Amino acid sequence: MTHSSYVPTPDDKFTFGLWTVGQTGRDPFGEPTRAPLSAPYIAQKLGELGAYGINLHDNDLVPIDASAAEHDRIVAEFRQALSDHGLVVPMATTNLFSDPAFKDGAFTSADARVRAYALQKTMRSMDLGHELGAQTYVFWGGREGAEVDAGGKLLDAIGWFRDSLNFLADYSEAQGYGYRFALEPKPNEPRGDIFFPTAGSMLGFIATLERPERFGVNPEFAHDTMSGLNFAHAVAQVIDAGKLFHIDLNDQKPGRFDQDLRFGSENIKTAFFLVKLLEDTGYAGPKHFDAHALRTEDEAGVWAFARGCMRTYLILREKARQFNADPEIQAALAAYRVEDAELADLTRGFSPQKAEALRDRTFDRAELGGRGPGLEHLDQLTVDLLLGTR
Ligand code: GLT
Ligand code: MN
Ligand code: MN
């Protein structure tokens, strides 16, 4: 299907969190600037815009102190709105960061009662997610971190986190939920330092779990960018490990507070190489825009924001296809790589004979160092493509 008008359809698998388009503009320095929107209304609007699904925290939908009857009424109403507007809930997650009970961590709290409550809250939230059809369960440990290390819990925290995830993976199996869990790294904010700050830390940690096959990563564009890292590089490592279970797309200026900007609004080149990576490798999961409209905006601005996230993705997807089909770009790419069948054989798969042959080989270092790979040319072709002059 072509998207010459850049208008999405559910096949594009674009999703938004209830907390994203529902964000009211509150920030640490100011009150909300927009009225709250109800979950059924958000479903209606996102359905009209061509989104595929809606993600939620337990309490985005059901207030934390709702009675059982209220719970049932709210969930029934939301389900109806989803089916009326052709949307699904592919991912769910728990709010383990707003309640003051979690101020010093949830699964990594030094208080055993808080850790147990976090497990209870998560099980209930997993029940709700399953009720709504979610197959991916995200863990973003917003409060799992510290401002000071005087409490001396660094190694304990890792162990407590592991115990909790092992418990919850078993709960998912015992209940027959079949969730795939996606761990979301972030370096800081709201904590001074958050545990497991990068995709690489999550990958290392997953290997220590009892059911590693059930766990993957939910990398977020802004979270790597905040600390000056290259998000496309992080995602490539996650894909290589077979662990891209979900992805959070947004944008961010490096070195700033957590901005959650509209996808593609800031780092257009990294966004392009990210979209190209996702499309070239056939990522088939949901593409979740975990961002919100600027605080300056009214409701019209919220929908302009949502439309813009999807439109920019589709434009970049088309640019990626152009990149792959452009003869000059492909020629420059071919010139960049130097292939050598004999050396490929020699360097892949160790044998004492190969090691011997490689030790004896003479390389012309001056020639290797003197070669110009043509990256300036290739990058300018990319810039021309992105600026629309190709
Ligand atoms: C919060 C955070 C996000 C997480 C959400 C899921 S909550 O908005 O900033 O990065 O993905 O818990
Ligand atoms: Mn975020
Ligand atoms: Mn996120």
Side-chain angles (χ1 to χ4, degrees), residues 227-348:
S227 41
L229 300 174
N230 183 320
F231 186 59
H233 290 208
V235 173
Q237 195 190 354
V238 175
I239 290 174
D240 178 70
K243 291 296 188 185
L244 189 62
F245 281 19
H246 197 263
I247 192 163
D248 280 1
L249 301 176
N250 51 13
D251 216 334
Q252 171 77 30
K253 284 185 203 268
R256 304 276 170 100
F257 64 96
D258 184 357
Q259 295 177 298
D260 281 341
L261 300 170
R262 192 179 76 254
F263 176 64
S265 61
E266 194 57 41
N267 300 285
I268 200 75
K269 237 162 123 184
T270 306
F272 168 69
F273 286 115
L274 171 74
V275 170
K276 185 169 171 342
L277 181 67
L278 295 178
E279 296 296 324
D280 287 353
T281 56
Y283 170 71
K287 292 172 287 267
H288 173 222
F289 296 108
D290 189 9
H292 54 77
L294 301 170
R295 186 168 188 269
T296 51
E297 300 307 288
D298 60 6
E299 190 191 322
V302 170
W303 305 121
F305 148 83
R307 222 181 286 114
C309 286
M310 298 188 283
R311 178 180 170 83
T312 301
Y313 188 99
L314 294 176
I315 295 171
L316 292 177
R317 183 171 75 184
E318 188 175 293
K319 295 283 180 191
R321 287 175 183 158
Q322 278 175 27
F323 185 101
N324 291 342
D326 186 309
E328 203 180 339
I329 291 177
Q330 291 309 307
L333 270 176
Y336 173 53
R337 291 178 184 232
V338 179
E339 301 297 350
D340 183 310
E342 187 203 345
L343 285 178
D345 178 57
L346 207 55
T347 52
R348 213 173 294 130

Side-chain angles (χ1 to χ4, degrees), residues 111-365:
D111 185 332
R113 297 166 304 171
V114 175
R115 297 199 297 276
Y117 171 57
L119 271 186
Q120 182 201 68
K121 189 171 196 290
T122 305
M123 285 190 289
R124 288 181 179 165
S125 170
M126 285 167 64
D127 300 344
L128 172 64
H130 178 74
E131 212 181 323
L132 292 166
Q135 285 164 349
T136 302
Y137 205 86
V138 162
F139 288 103
W140 172 65
R143 299 283 173 194
E144 315 290 14
E147 287 71 43
V148 298
D149 292 331
K153 67 171 180 183
L154 293 183
L155 284 170
D156 292 321
I158 295 169
W160 291 328
F161 195 60
R162 179 183 299 116
D163 290 346
S164 300
L165 294 188
N166 284 337
F167 187 99
L168 293 167
D170 283 349
Y171 179 68
S172 171
E173 295 307 300
Q175 295 288 111
Y177 292 166
Y179 277 122
R180 300 208 315 160
F181 299 101
L183 310 185
E184 180 176 341
K186 189 177 186 186
N188 55 270
E189 208 180 332
R191 298 313 297 267
D193 292 291
I194 296 180
F195 302 138
F196 308 107
T198 62
S201 349
M202 286 306 185
L203 289 175
F205 177 68
I206 287 170
T208 73
L209 296 173
E210 279 166 9
R211 297 179 187 268
E213 72 287 351
R214 285 273 145 206
F215 289 84
V217 183
N218 179 37
E220 174 169 320
F221 200 117
H223 294 181
D224 285 71
T225 309
M226 279 170 73
S227 41
L229 300 174
N230 183 320
F231 186 59
H233 290 208
V235 173
Q237 195 190 354
V238 175
I239 290 174
D240 178 70
K243 291 296 188 185
L244 189 62
F245 281 19
H246 197 263
I247 192 163
D248 280 1
L249 301 176
N250 51 13
D251 216 334
Q252 171 77 30
K253 284 185 203 268
R256 304 276 170 100
F257 64 96
D258 184 357
Q259 295 177 298
D260 281 341
L261 300 170
R262 192 179 76 254
F263 176 64
S265 61
E266 194 57 41
N267 300 285
I268 200 75
K269 237 162 123 184
T270 306
F272 168 69
F273 286 115
L274 171 74
V275 170
K276 185 169 171 342
L277 181 67
L278 295 178
E279 296 296 324
D280 287 353
T281 56
Y283 170 71
K287 292 172 287 267
H288 173 222
F289 296 108
D290 189 9
H292 54 77
L294 301 170
R295 186 168 188 269
T296 51
E297 300 307 288
D298 60 6
E299 190 191 322
V302 170
W303 305 121
F305 148 83
R307 222 181 286 114
C309 286
M310 298 188 283
R311 178 180 170 83
T312 301
Y313 188 99
L314 294 176
I315 295 171
L316 292 177
R317 183 171 75 184
E318 188 175 293
K319 295 283 180 191
R321 287 175 183 158
Q322 278 175 27
F323 185 101
N324 291 342
D326 186 309
E328 203 180 339
I329 291 177
Q330 291 309 307
L333 270 176
Y336 173 53
R337 291 178 184 232
V338 179
E339 301 297 350
D340 183 310
E342 187 203 345
L343 285 178
D345 178 57
L346 207 55
T347 52
R348 213 173 294 130
F350 175 85
S351 75
Q353 295 72 22
K354 286 185 183 182
E356 190 63 26
L358 195 53
R359 286 169 66 131
D360 291 345
R361 183 96 180 193
T362 307
F363 291 95
D364 185 342
R365 285 170 32 245

